[in-house]
Amino acid sequence: MQFPAYLERLPFIGSIAGPSKRGPMMVTSWDQANVYFLVVKERKDSLTATAWGTVQRDSERPPLALLKEYLDEHKIHVARLLLLLPRTDLEMTTVEVPPAEDAEVAALVRAEVEQLIGDGDHELVVDYRLLEGATPAPLPQVGDTDTIAEQSDDALGERLRSHSAVAFSMEHSELEAWEAAATELGLPLTALTSRQTAPLLPLGQQRVFRAPLSVLIVVYEGEVELSFLRGSRLASLRTFRAGSHEISSLTEQIQLEVQRSMSLMDFVTPGESPEWLLLTRSPLDHAASEDDDAMSLCEALDARSVSLTISMEPGMVDRGQDAMPAPDPVLIGAANAFLLDRLSVDLTNPKLPPVPPNPMLRWGAIGGFAAASIALVAYTLYADVRDLATKVSEKQQELVEVESVANKVQEKADETRFVEQWLADQVDWLSQLQRLSSLFPEGQLANVRRLSAAVDGSTGVFDLSIQVNDPSRVAELENRLRDAGFSITSKRISEQANNTEYPWQFEARIAFAILPLDERESTFVLPTDQADESGKAMDESVGMDAETEVSE
């Protein structure tokens, strides 16, 4: 989907216009003799190689056409294309970025590139990568007074905040030609980046750059790429043509070019020697012959061999992939960087400066905001008045309802107090009689001849006439009742000679406290009609003395 240039700068438009990260992706690059490709599938947070190989170049046919023919012949399905352009197909320029904020760097780099390369007749597509390792030295320490005196404050500030950058550029028509060529062959272009910067991020994650100064060497057919790093920070890029691929001649030429490059770098101190790293393929079980020259070159340069690997889809060995060299490590590095969304250079989505504000839009926005503010204030005042009037009406209605509810609550409260008073006057005589019965002696030892009950304020009273067979039963019964929480008073103990079974008789008054209503465990309330009849019966029973025989 194509959008105007001013819309493509918006982040969400870029996400819509950009290619979808779905389906197998092919990473490809080439040199003077071969076209290299690698097909990968995304497996959650990792990549799996499904196909790879090398196609011999034909001077009369473009590399993508040769590659498409190979894919169709071997029935390899590809949904996306990540293109790595060599130095011969991509303009590379080193520029100095003056002190600026991060948001202004893209515009400054583009201006420097247009000044160095173009005459303004063609629109350029520019992307860049900062050379962090080539950043000038920081400000001297406070004790270095001689150094500070030699430099002005402005120069020191400029050195502290300025950066070097390597810019990659091509004409917009060339980018459209690459996209059209890829689309015509059924390979939609996902990203277009520099071949030389592709393996740097994965190698840095593997911590292969251990020395303070390193040089990474990548050898192709007819050319050699050099990457200088300060620690793990990129400091400089260099590409030169290889005069011969004979080991001794190539070794001598690489050593000479490295020394020449270092002599021109202001971030290298005199006499400093870098660690030499040579990027090589990791041979498979049955394909090590092609890397013999690379290992010989490592020994000749006294370089450490480094490489990148990728997991392979199960069954690749059975399909004959073990008969060819391992995937190109540069392609593996580009695929991993793309998976992490950390391609340092991508000319299909280059770093762009922020869109400058339009003055008319600014004043229009200010006027619109002012008009909207006035309208909002007026509407808010009107809405507040209307809300206040509504609230007053609602409060009046609530007052009427609350007064009505308050009257009903008062009536219920009066009824509740009456019921509570009535319940408080009730005495659970049956439970008290049950307690007395459990404390009395057995039937052959004592006999209750008369029992009456009455209420005296907050105290319940039983008046009893009791016959016992032995005077000691009187004290025993009194002790039991007192231990159970009753108050007992015995009087008129007399002997009856005419009663041989219970010769002793005495009168006793037993009192107990009536618990308040809120301390009682439960209260049984009869229906209204039964409660009236029960109340009358209780009044009659309490008001008279009844002779009662108790037998066990």
Side-chain angles (χ1 to χ4, degrees):
M1 183 182 299
Q2 296 294 329
F3 292 92
Y6 65 91
L7 287 180
E8 290 182 351
R9 298 183 178 182
L10 300 177
F12 64 90
I13 292 295
S15 63
I16 296 174
S20 173
K21 289 190 176 181
R22 294 180 181 177
M25 180 180 68
M26 181 175 67
V27 189
T28 183
S29 185
W30 52 81
D31 54 24
Q32 295 180 4
N34 300 302
V35 179
Y36 308 97
F37 75 92
L38 169 66
V39 181
V40 297
K41 286 184 179 179
E42 296 183 20
R43 306 289 188 186
K44 294 183 179 179
D45 296 332
S46 63
L47 292 175
T48 302
T50 61
W52 65 89
T54 303
V55 181
Q56 188 174 2
R57 285 195 65 174
D58 185 350
S59 59
E60 298 180 357
R61 301 184 62 186
L64 291 183
L66 293 172
L67 196 57
K68 178 61 176 177
E69 181 179 335
Y70 181 90
L71 296 178
D72 293 340
E73 179 182 353
H74 292 80
K75 298 180 180 179
I76 300 174
H77 172 66
V78 177
R80 297 171 291 161
L81 175 63
L82 173 56
L83 187 58
L84 279 59
L85 291 184
R87 177 70 175 83
T88 55
D89 296 316
L90 188 63
E91 187 69 30
M92 183 179 74
T93 308
T94 301
V95 297
E96 295 296 327
V97 182
E101 297 181 358
D102 293 341
E104 301 173 348
V105 173
L108 293 174
V109 170
R110 184 180 183 86
E112 291 289 336
V113 171
E114 290 178 348
Q115 183 178 1
L116 293 174
I117 297 178
D119 53 3
D121 295 338
H122 303 284
E123 182 181 357
L124 292 178
V125 179
V126 181
D127 201 3
Y128 65 93
R129 171 169 178 167
L130 293 177
L131 301 176
E132 299 91 348
T135 302
L139 283 173
Q141 300 297 323
V142 177
D144 300 337
T145 55
D146 296 338
T147 306
I148 296 177
E150 295 175 358
Q151 302 182 25
S152 64
D153 294 339
D154 294 339
L156 288 174
E158 182 177 353
R159 292 192 62 193
L160 180 64
R161 294 186 293 272
S162 62
H163 293 279
S164 297
V166 55
F168 300 89
S169 61
M170 64 169 52
E171 294 184 4
H172 194 272
S173 58
E174 294 181 16
L175 176 60
E176 291 179 343
W178 282 115
E179 293 176 341
T183 304
E184 183 178 354
L185 297 174
L187 302 174
L189 186 59
T190 300
L192 190 150
T193 185
S194 165
R195 182 180 66 186
Q196 190 168 1
T197 61
L200 298 181
L201 172 65
L203 289 174
Q205 292 177 334
Q206 293 184 8
R207 301 183 183 277
V208 302
F209 306 117
R210 305 167 187 169
L213 179 64
S214 305
V215 56
L216 177 67
I217 306 168
V218 184
V219 180
Y220 291 96
E221 185 71 26
E223 57 186 338
V224 178
E225 295 177 347
L226 304 177
S227 301
F228 295 87
L229 298 101
R230 273 287 181 192
S232 60
R233 301 177 302 165
L234 181 63
S236 179
L237 297 176
R238 172 80 189 282
T239 302
F240 64 90
R241 294 185 180 276
S244 172
H245 283 276
E246 195 271 327
I247 297 299
S248 59
S249 299
L250 183 60
T251 301
E252 183 178 354
Q253 186 179 8
I254 292 175
Q255 292 174 342
L256 180 61
E257 293 294 339
V258 169
Q259 294 175 2
R260 181 182 302 172
S261 300
M262 292 179 57
S263 65
L264 300 176
M265 298 174 182
D266 57 358
F267 57 86
V268 178
T269 58
E272 187 176 11
S273 178
E275 180 185 18
W276 297 63
L277 307 175
L278 181 64
L279 185 62
T280 59
R281 292 185 178 90
S282 295
L284 297 180
D285 295 339
H286 305 289
S289 59
E290 187 170 317
D291 281 342
D292 291 341
D293 292 342
M295 300 310 297
S296 300
L297 183 60
C298 275
E299 295 177 359
L301 290 172
D302 192 19
R304 178 162 57 94
S305 175
V306 296
S307 186
L308 291 170
T309 58
I310 188 172
S311 60
M312 301 177 186
E313 190 177 51
M316 295 300 296
V317 175
D318 298 337
R319 283 183 275 174
Q321 290 286 0
D322 61 333
M324 63 179 63
D328 191 285
V330 175
L331 305 184
I332 296 175
N336 286 325
F338 181 81
L339 174 66
L340 299 174
D341 290 327
R342 294 179 61 182
L343 279 177
S344 58
V345 175
D346 184 4
L347 291 173
T348 59
N349 294 283
K351 305 174 188 68
L352 297 174
V355 180
N358 190 330
M360 296 301 296
L361 294 178
R362 177 186 177 187
W363 287 109
I366 293 175
F369 178 76
S373 300
I374 295 174
L376 180 62
V377 171
Y379 176 79
T380 302
L381 293 176
Y382 172 74
D384 290 344
V385 173
R386 184 178 58 185
D387 291 343
L388 289 175
T390 303
K391 288 181 180 179
V392 170
S393 177
E394 292 176 353
K395 293 299 181 181
Q396 291 176 346
Q397 182 64 29
E398 289 180 2
L399 179 60
V400 174
E401 295 176 356
V402 168
E403 290 178 349
S404 176
V405 171
N407 294 333
K408 293 181 180 180
V409 170
Q410 186 62 39
E411 293 177 1
K412 295 296 182 181
D414 295 340
E415 294 176 359
T416 301
R417 283 195 296 271
F418 175 77
V419 172
E420 289 179 348
Q421 183 62 39
W422 180 77
L423 291 174
D425 294 339
Q426 286 185 340
V427 181
D428 190 0
W429 298 106
L430 294 179
S431 62
Q432 298 298 331
L433 287 175
Q434 183 181 8
R435 292 178 60 199
L436 289 177
S437 176
S438 64
L439 298 173
F440 275 19
E442 298 177 354
Q444 65 269 23
L445 303 180
N447 180 32
V448 178
R449 294 189 55 82
R450 179 178 58 83
L451 183 147
S452 63
V455 177
D456 184 9
S458 60
T459 304
V461 178
F462 287 109
D463 289 320
L464 298 91
S465 176
I466 306 173
Q467 294 177 338
V468 295
N469 63 346
D470 192 299
S472 62
R473 302 299 177 192
V474 177
E476 180 182 348
L477 179 59
E478 288 179 351
N479 292 334
R480 285 185 180 182
L481 292 175
R482 289 190 182 97
D483 292 341
F486 289 96
S487 175
I488 181 170
T489 303
S490 301
K491 59 183 179 179
R492 291 192 294 180
I493 301 175
S494 61
E495 183 179 5
Q496 296 179 344
N498 57 350
N499 191 339
T500 59
E501 186 176 4
Y502 303 105
W504 296 92
Q505 179 177 349
F506 69 95
E507 303 288 333
R509 166 162 285 198
I510 301 173
F512 60 91
I514 301 175
L515 293 176
L517 182 61
D518 55 352
E519 297 181 8
R520 301 178 189 177
E521 294 183 359
S522 63
T523 304
F524 177 71
V525 181
L526 293 173
T528 305
D529 52 351
Q530 298 183 15
D532 294 340
E533 295 176 4
S534 300
K536 293 178 181 179
M538 179 61 71
D539 293 341
E540 293 175 359
S541 63
V542 172
M544 66 179 184
D545 292 339
E547 297 290 330
T548 306
E549 294 289 336
V550 179
S551 62
E552 297 293 338

